[in-house]
Amino acid sequence: MKKLSIALILLSFLGFNAQADVSVGLKLSYADMTADGSETQNSGALVDQPERSANFEVASLFAEKSFELGFVDLALGLEAIPFTAEVDVLGGSTGFNATISIGNLVTAYVQPKLISAGDASFYVKAGYATADLEISNISRQATSSATTDTASTDAAQTRDLEGPMYGVGVQIEMGNFVDSIRIEATRHDFDQITYTNSNNKKLTAESYMDTYSIGLVKSF
């Protein structure tokens, strides 16, 4: 529902001016996702977990509509990763092993162009994103511990991720197969999530994701 709301709001902006330029494109990104938090262990102790990072590659699609607003050119855009990418496999001695994946990442954004020099232009961007965090292949704690823990019966879980996005980039006009290419860096700051398994072991985490991308743009 949140992703649908973002898309509908953006599409209403895109239909505001039929004379505005429309661009579509493909981005190939190297992503680094970092998280830290706390975990309730089998003993009942609450333990702060150190920061962990995972790297992965991902592709996304985007569509934009550009407007000339006097002294600045402004683009409104929607970017989507329509599939799931595995982030990391967690494993440890405290009883929480799982595969972590992120999927269905949708970002609505505004992108003002700040400086142009020849065929190159510098821009910034800011927006809001939603995604699915999938927790699967949960193992350990499948049997009771030596204390009073009951057996875990966990199945795959999905948690909502959402939060602001901001970034910078350079667009270079090409005029060949594609009209321009982009080199871009962004950060997604996601809100805190919590996960509690069936025998009350709780994991709390905050995360952010940095991406470094090359984009191919076609304008109409």
Side-chain angles (χ1 to χ4, degrees):
M1 182 61 70
K2 294 174 185 175
K3 299 179 183 65
L4 180 60
S5 298
I6 287 178
L8 291 176
I9 291 171
L10 183 63
L11 287 174
S12 69
F13 280 114
L14 295 183
F16 180 75
N17 184 350
Q19 302 303 314
D21 294 330
V22 175
S23 298
V24 296
L26 169 68
K27 277 175 58 175
L28 303 175
S29 302
Y30 172 84
D32 182 275
M33 193 166 189
T34 302
D36 60 13
S38 62
E39 178 186 14
T40 303
Q41 298 188 341
N42 288 339
S43 65
L46 182 64
V47 177
D48 290 332
Q49 293 295 328
E51 187 174 87
R52 298 179 180 177
S53 296
N55 304 319
F56 56 101
E57 293 79 36
V58 69
S60 59
L61 303 172
F62 63 88
E64 295 173 357
K65 206 161 191 179
S66 300
F67 304 87
E68 292 186 5
L69 300 178
F71 63 93
V72 66
D73 292 338
L74 180 70
L76 299 177
L78 183 69
E79 181 178 346
I81 300 176
F83 49 85
T84 299
E86 183 177 301
V87 176
D88 200 7
V89 177
L90 302 180
S93 60
T94 62
F96 188 85
N97 286 6
T99 300
I100 306 297
S101 303
I102 187 171
N104 301 318
L105 177 62
V106 178
T107 307
Y109 59 90
V110 294
Q111 182 174 291
K113 184 187 299 183
L114 298 184
I115 302 172
S116 294
D119 291 332
S121 58
F122 173 77
Y123 61 87
V124 296
K125 63 192 306 181
Y128 197 80
T130 65
D132 295 329
L133 184 72
E134 299 180 7
I135 307 170
S136 60
N137 299 324
I138 301 170
S139 61
R140 301 289 182 92
Q141 296 182 342
T143 58
S144 298
S145 72
T147 59
T148 59
D149 292 332
T150 57
S152 172
T153 57
D154 291 271
Q157 305 282 327
T158 300
R159 293 290 182 271
D160 291 333
L161 285 178
E162 59 179 294
M165 178 278 299
Y166 44 91
V168 296
V170 175
Q171 178 167 306
I172 303 171
E173 304 302 322
M174 300 296 292
N176 295 316
F177 174 73
V178 295
D179 293 317
S180 57
I181 62 171
R182 290 178 183 171
I183 302 172
E184 186 177 282
T186 63
R187 168 166 287 192
H188 289 77
D189 275 323
F190 295 116
D191 293 341
Q192 184 183 83
I193 62 165
T194 60
Y195 168 77
T196 303
N197 73 357
S198 62
N199 52 3
N200 294 319
K201 301 303 182 292
K202 185 177 181 180
L203 178 71
T204 301
E206 294 182 354
S207 62
Y208 62 88
M209 183 174 70
D210 293 327
T211 62
Y212 308 95
S213 310
I214 295 178
L216 307 178
V217 186
K218 188 71 176 177
S219 300
F220 302 93

